[in-house]
Amino acid sequence: MSGRGRWGPGRLARTAAIASVVLVAGLIPGAGVALGDTQRADVGIGYTCRLPSAPARVDVRVKAVFPATGKIGTPARTDDVALTVTIPRESLGDLTKDDAVSVAGTARLQTLWTQAEQPLSVEWPGLTVPEKKLPRDGALVLKASGQVPTTAVTKAGDLVVSAGELTFRLQTRNASGAVTSPGGLSFSCVPDLGQDTTLVTVPVAGPEQAPVTTSPGGGEAPARTGPRVRNDDVCPPMPEPKLNPKFPVPEPPPGVDPSPIAPDYSCAWVEGHANVNKLKGASALKGKASVIIGLDQFFKAETPPEDPHGYAQARTIALSYLNSTQSTFLTFGFMPTTATMEITQIGTANAIAIGPAATDSPRPTITTVTAEASIRLRDVKVNGTPMDVGPNCKTARPVRLTLTGDNTADPSYEVALGGRLSGTADVPAFSGCGVDDDLDRLLTASVSGKGNYVRLTQGPVCYVVAKDPNIYPCPPEVFGYTITPGGDFRFTSGEIVFRVGIGSTRTIKCATSEVRGTFKRGSGIDPRSLGTAAALTFNDCVGQGNLASLGNVTVRTVAPLRLGHNMTAGLDKTTGTMNLQVSTPHLEVSGGSCRFKAVGAGGSPTYRFGMQYPNGSSSLTVPSGATGTVAEATGCPSDVRGSFGIVTPVPYTVDSPQLFKYGGTPK
């Protein structure tokens, strides 16, 4: 048969193997191949679940079979996944109400796969929780199991797999079989801090494969022209600085004025994965994107009471250059198949961020990214035998992709700082596939479909005109911190002196101070969510100078207390210094009849207690300077006013030194 004819029965099994190769924006099916001997994980982990009525601590046991060793280019397959979750009797109120007698549903487990210190978040969705009778007394033991996607192996060294967030969607029924929870009961559980959540370590041997970068026109990316960073060619070619007219841009509300700014030329690392609904698989995506920030900006300051937080809109464009991806997988459970996929973005993506103008507003800033792409297949082999799909095997029309990010989520997202974007994509039909035979209908029937979940992680941007090459590293690197060992921390200091009014003699001296809390542990940790702070205390305080009449003084924080982080003062890769912040709405100071609040500098509602944290050191220092202002003073001398700050830098000691890494060891 010549030309692009129909498929005969004898060729169907041979060629159907390529039906699961294609997916939009990195959506390659995750079916894997056997990697020789296996190893079994059987790990118990303590979790805390956010049930509607109250948090509940549960015990989770994760069992699964992993490869004993890995090989670059061969996906790591995970089999026999089974979770056992034990919920104590006292936490079953949300499940047993309305005369419920049984429960069933689904679960999904977020896992972290770290290769060469580069983390990849991989979701294990669709785990089935079979119906279970609710116990009359004692704990409830739920089991969940199912098939999970495989994960691409791209780096030599240890591949470390860790357990993360666990999410349930359950439904309860009464004795007659009627549903007692029509909307279902959904809740998430997170591992308790201070424990090892590693499931397995897979050693991977072999040289790392050099990635091939494709340009929007196909083939190798052309040499970049234009401004450079320290003469390093680190960013791919920049697009023309204008919005893509294919995607509508929301108009700002009446009364919001343009706020012209010069655009920033930058680039960012991107990595992610996505699901193929029909194939029940997922795979990785990696590359770089050129980013032009601030093409247009609209701004309206807060004007209480009708608009206490104001309005801001910023418009950005991006052009992605994704690595060609070669995947090896099994079709029909036995036929090994490889193929190279090229994803080409068509035109630029519009990224529109809309949120409040006030930086301390509880309202989120939501960024919506809209793009189109084309997908082409080449170099297909079935059982090692080349199969010519032709030079134009690609989606018949562009793939439309819409992703969103939230600066208040965990992980959060902002264009300049990076973070997580997620959304869905519809895979269209295919055309031009096959030379001797027509593969279009086969690919379309096997892969095309709606609502395929996509999740991308973007690193912080690297500016072409460098703003701070130590904090915004070039070339752009992976998103997130690695914190070792993590867990509970305690910082203690000796004498600390506060001055009321810079240059004055009104001071308060505290004999000691202490900060307690918990750092997260592992890799890929959001820079704006490093951990939690439990307490910040100042002990044995007395007034001095003009405040000596106050005698013993109490300085205390007011809940909620949190561990904050300002990315613009993040990890300095040259010195290895980390800037941390412990924030609370204000400090309350009282002595004798005098009482006042110390609020954030400039009257903001956050008091910041900044810390310079040397990387891996056993000490840190809180810098001196103005840290707040006096407010709501009552019963105090008339000159208790103005600024409130630390007189001299205060050294702290750390009971457990921490090591912070961003995208690898600081240089």
Side-chain angles (χ1 to χ4, degrees):
M1 182 182 295
S2 62
R4 300 181 61 222
R6 295 175 58 84
W7 274 90
R11 291 184 180 156
L12 181 59
R14 175 173 66 90
T15 56
I18 70 168
S20 56
V21 183
V22 183
L23 186 60
V24 61
L27 311 180
I28 302 176
V33 298
L35 297 179
D37 294 339
T38 60
Q39 55 178 318
R40 179 175 293 277
D42 186 350
V43 180
I45 304 172
Y47 275 73
T48 298
C49 296
R50 305 184 186 96
L51 290 164
S53 58
R57 192 186 182 284
V58 305
D59 293 323
V60 178
R61 182 157 293 277
V62 182
K63 295 183 179 180
V65 174
F66 295 88
T69 59
K71 182 179 178 182
I72 293 174
T74 302
R77 180 169 179 165
T78 309
D79 293 312
D80 299 338
V81 174
L83 308 183
T84 303
V85 183
T86 304
I87 305 176
R89 179 67 190 177
E90 59 269 20
S91 300
L92 296 181
D94 293 301
L95 296 171
T96 57
K97 62 184 180 181
D98 299 326
D99 297 323
V101 298
S102 67
V103 62
T106 60
R108 70 175 184 268
L109 178 66
Q110 200 71 36
T111 62
L112 187 70
W113 297 61
T114 302
Q115 304 177 55
E117 297 186 346
Q118 296 189 12
L120 172 67
S121 180
V122 178
E123 187 176 82
W124 290 354
L127 301 176
T128 301
V129 179
E131 188 171 13
K132 175 78 172 183
K133 288 187 177 182
L134 295 170
R136 293 181 179 273
D137 51 42
L140 170 66
V141 179
L142 294 178
K143 296 183 180 296
S145 61
Q147 294 183 339
V148 300
T150 63
T151 302
V153 178
T154 60
K155 302 284 183 181
D158 286 344
L159 168 61
V160 181
V161 184
S162 304
E165 184 179 41
L166 176 61
T167 304
F168 287 95
R169 184 172 181 82
L170 303 175
Q171 192 172 69
T172 54
R173 296 181 182 273
N174 59 23
S176 63
V179 173
T180 62
S181 52
L185 176 64
S186 299
F187 59 91
S188 61
C189 311
V190 295
D192 295 333
L193 296 175
Q195 61 181 330
D196 189 354
T197 61
T198 301
L199 299 179
V200 73
T201 299
V202 180
V204 179
E208 184 175 337
Q209 294 179 333
V212 178
T213 302
T214 59
S215 69
E220 294 186 359
R224 185 178 64 84
T225 60
R228 302 171 185 267
V229 181
R230 301 189 306 279
N231 296 320
D232 294 334
D233 193 8
V234 297
C235 287
M238 291 289 166
E240 186 178 354
K242 64 179 183 180
L243 293 165
N244 193 328
K246 288 185 178 180
F247 313 127
V249 176
E251 290 298 324
V256 177
D257 300 321
S259 180
I261 57 173
D264 282 319
Y265 289 77
S266 64
C267 59
W269 163 93
V270 292
E271 185 173 82
H273 78 278
N275 296 342
V276 187
N277 293 340
K278 286 186 176 180
L279 301 173
K280 302 185 185 302
S283 70
L285 166 72
K286 188 174 183 179
K288 290 183 182 179
S290 294
V291 185
I292 303 179
I293 302 175
L295 287 178
D296 295 302
Q297 181 169 292
F298 300 86
F299 184 86
K300 180 183 179 182
E302 57 272 24
T303 52
E306 63 274 11
D307 187 8
H309 304 292
Y311 176 93
Q313 181 186 138
R315 299 172 178 177
T316 294
I317 62 170
L319 181 57
S320 296
Y321 296 78
L322 302 176
N323 298 339
S324 297
T325 306
Q326 186 181 67
S327 290
T328 302
F329 52 93
L330 293 179
T331 53
F332 306 119
F334 65 89
M335 187 176 295
T337 304
T338 63
T340 298
M341 183 184 68
E342 291 180 355
I343 304 172
T344 302
Q345 185 173 324
I346 302 173
T348 55
N350 288 351
I352 311 300
I354 298 177
T359 58
D360 58 354
S361 171
R363 282 169 37 199
T365 294
I366 303 297
T367 302
T368 303
V369 180
T370 311
E372 285 186 340
S374 175
I375 304 170
R376 181 171 79 94
L377 293 180
R378 58 181 175 84
D379 302 333
V380 178
K381 293 182 180 180
V382 179
N383 256 345
T385 302
M387 176 174 293
D388 191 358
V389 296
N392 298 304
C393 181
K394 59 184 180 180
T395 47
R397 56 182 174 81
V399 178
R400 175 69 67 94
L401 183 65
T402 300
L403 304 176
T404 59
D406 183 337
N407 74 328
T408 63
D410 185 8
S412 59
Y413 179 80
E414 296 178 42
V415 171
L417 305 182
R420 178 177 293 175
L421 292 161
S422 61
T424 59
D426 297 341
V427 182
F430 295 92
S431 68
C433 301
V435 176
D436 294 329
D437 300 282
D438 187 349
L439 306 179
D440 294 348
R441 295 178 64 184
L442 178 62
L443 288 169
T444 299
S446 301
V447 180
S448 300
K450 296 181 178 295
N452 298 282
Y453 177 70
V454 182
R455 184 167 69 195
L456 295 178
T457 298
Q458 175 207 311
V461 301
C462 157
Y463 290 99
V464 173
V465 179
K467 292 194 171 185
D468 189 331
N470 292 323
I471 295 172
Y472 295 88
C474 282
E477 298 191 39
V478 297
F479 177 84
Y481 281 93
T482 296
I483 303 178
T484 307
D488 295 340
F489 66 79
R490 180 172 175 263
F491 309 149
T492 56
S493 80
E495 182 178 281
I496 180 171
V497 179
F498 296 102
R499 177 177 287 143
V500 182
I502 297 299
S504 76
T505 61
R506 299 182 296 275
T507 59
I508 297 171
K509 182 175 71 174
C510 300
T512 62
S513 66
E514 178 182 272
V515 186
R516 291 186 291 105
T518 305
F519 283 120
K520 292 183 178 179
R521 179 181 183 177
S523 300
I525 298 172
D526 191 315
R528 287 139 289 174
S529 181
L530 300 177
T532 57
L536 167 59
T537 60
F538 304 97
N539 308 310
D540 301 325
C541 304
V542 295
Q544 294 185 308
N546 292 354
L547 297 182
S549 61
L550 300 183
N552 294 331
V553 177
T554 299
V555 181
R556 70 184 187 93
T557 59
V558 177
L561 188 69
R562 66 184 181 88
L563 181 69
H565 176 61
N566 180 356
M567 191 59 193
T568 60
L571 180 67
D572 187 311
K573 291 174 63 63
T574 299
T575 64
T577 299
M578 167 72 76
N579 179 281
L580 302 176
Q581 296 170 342
V582 176
S583 303
T584 188
H586 57 266
L587 294 181
E588 287 189 350
V589 182
S590 61
S593 62
C594 175
R595 284 172 171 73
F596 64 89
K597 294 180 179 180
V599 301
S604 90
T606 302
Y607 176 87
R608 301 195 182 277
F609 193 76
M611 303 175 189
Q612 296 295 325
Y613 199 119
N615 194 29
S617 173
S618 61
S619 65
L620 57 85
T621 299
V622 176
S624 61
T627 56
T629 57
V630 174
E632 301 181 23
T634 59
C636 302
S638 60
D639 57 357
V640 173
R641 62 182 182 275
S643 59
F644 184 88
I646 298 173
V647 174
T648 59
V650 180
Y652 278 70
T653 58
V654 185
D655 62 352
S656 176
Q658 301 289 335
L659 180 66
F660 294 88
K661 292 183 181 180
Y662 190 89
T665 303
K667 299 177 181 179

